[in-house]
Amino acid sequence: MPPKERTIRFHICLTPEEKEQVRRMAEENSLTMAELFRAKTIKHRLPRRVTKVAGETYWELGKIGNNLNQIAKAINTSVLMGEPVVVDRALLEEVRNLVRQVRREITEVDLITDIQDEA
């Protein structure tokens, strides 16, 4: 099946500096400016924007998760060495799962709602 003919024009306004930047990007990638535009906007998903608060929370939860993993490793090492350890493993796993769940939910927050809440 032959490719569809592109007949629709789409105009955007750029500063001279922006146009030069786009021209350079296209040239560096052996593309026309139109091909670069299509590659950056249609063919690839744009990265999801995350608010500063969500990003910082995600980072902190990651550190908490790492600490939990270190605690679990220390407990497992103690068990292997025959040292007595009293741990509620189900509770530890529940905390781990909650941290993972919160991290996933943070990245799925609706950006507009989040920005309005911060204003």
Side-chain angles (χ1 to χ4, degrees), residues 58-118:
Y58 185 86
W59 179 259
E60 288 299 320
L61 286 170
K63 293 190 321 189
I64 291 167
N66 287 338
N67 289 341
L68 288 172
N69 286 335
Q70 290 173 5
I71 291 167
K73 181 178 179 181
I75 290 168
N76 290 332
T77 300
S78 295
V79 167
L80 288 173
M81 295 174 62
E83 297 175 6
V85 178
V86 179
V87 174
D88 184 338
R89 290 180 185 267
L91 180 60
L92 182 61
E93 187 61 29
E94 183 181 341
V95 170
R96 244 192 230 133
N97 289 335
L98 286 171
V99 168
R100 286 185 193 119
Q101 177 184 346
V102 170
R103 289 182 85 180
R104 279 192 306 273
E105 289 176 3
I106 286 172
T107 60
E108 295 170 0
V109 170
D110 180 32
L111 177 63
I112 295 171
T113 302
D114 207 351
I115 290 172
Q116 289 172 344
D117 290 345
E118 287 182 359

